[in-house]
Amino acid sequence: MSEFTNPAVGVDTNAPSGGFSFDNVHRNALIQQTAGNAQSSSDTKKSILPLATKTGTTIVGLVYKNGIVLGADTRSTNDTTVADKNCEKIHYIAPNIYCCGAGTAADTEKTTELISSQMELLRMNTGGGQSRIVTACTLLKRMLFRYQGHVSAALVLGGCDVNGPHLYQIYPHGSTGKLPFTTMGSG
């Protein structure tokens, strides 16, 4: 199978470095051709390509010059069965803060709902200014740490405040990381 993974086969060395890379197009065509030849021959040893399966959520976040991009799929799955084709996975925390959630849908929904209400109360208590992303991150990680991972909510928190754009990944057990881009989930 080295002809499929050899980096020198089918790679244009003069290709520009940036943008999309189509290096695997030639490899994929060679795999399909090999699989087609094996199926058309009368050999008892047939090559069957594995089918791609999608199980789980994919959430992503990216910081750019003046903002944040958050993204999530909309399918809710139960093992390999699609339970809901239009599931909201990007949750409102504050007017300038949103959060993507992966894990148990009920856990992510209620966790972000609880923190959203706490952020609203904090804004009313402190004069109604813009919420800080680090405050939402601290509230989320303290709440998740309290439950020691039993609340199945993996979160990507992002927003812009007076200090600029911020992006955090928050694991179900409460650990966090501030990154310029991140992805979470099992999909």
Side-chain angles (χ1 to χ4, degrees), residues 7-111:
V9 175
V11 176
D12 183 10
T13 57
N14 297 325
S17 65
F20 290 104
S21 172
F22 295 98
D23 294 343
N24 289 334
V25 170
H26 301 293
R27 181 205 61 164
N28 294 345
L30 188 58
I31 290 173
Q32 286 180 336
Q33 180 184 5
T34 305
N37 291 342
Q39 290 177 355
S40 63
S41 68
S42 61
D43 296 337
T44 58
K45 189 178 181 182
K46 292 187 177 181
S47 173
I48 299 173
L49 293 175
L51 297 174
T53 57
K54 164 82 171 72
T55 58
T57 295
T58 301
I59 55 175
V60 297
L62 172 73
V63 176
Y64 66 94
K65 184 179 178 183
N66 295 320
I68 293 285
V69 176
L70 294 174
D73 62 336
T74 58
R75 294 194 315 178
S76 174
T77 57
N78 181 9
D79 193 28
T80 58
T81 306
V82 176
D84 184 7
K85 290 184 180 181
N86 195 17
C87 179
E88 291 289 329
K89 295 182 184 176
I90 301 179
H91 307 278
Y92 170 88
I93 301 292
N96 60 320
I97 306 170
Y98 282 84
C99 184
C100 295
T104 304
D107 287 350
T108 59
E109 180 67 33
K110 287 301 173 185
T111 298

Side-chain angles (χ1 to χ4, degrees), residues 115-129 131-132 135-136 139:
I115 299 305
S116 178
S117 68
Q118 288 180 358
M119 291 294 288
E120 179 68 26
L121 289 172
L122 183 64
R123 268 194 313 280
M124 286 191 271
N125 234 358
T126 57
S131 299
R132 302 272 175 110
T135 305
L139 291 172

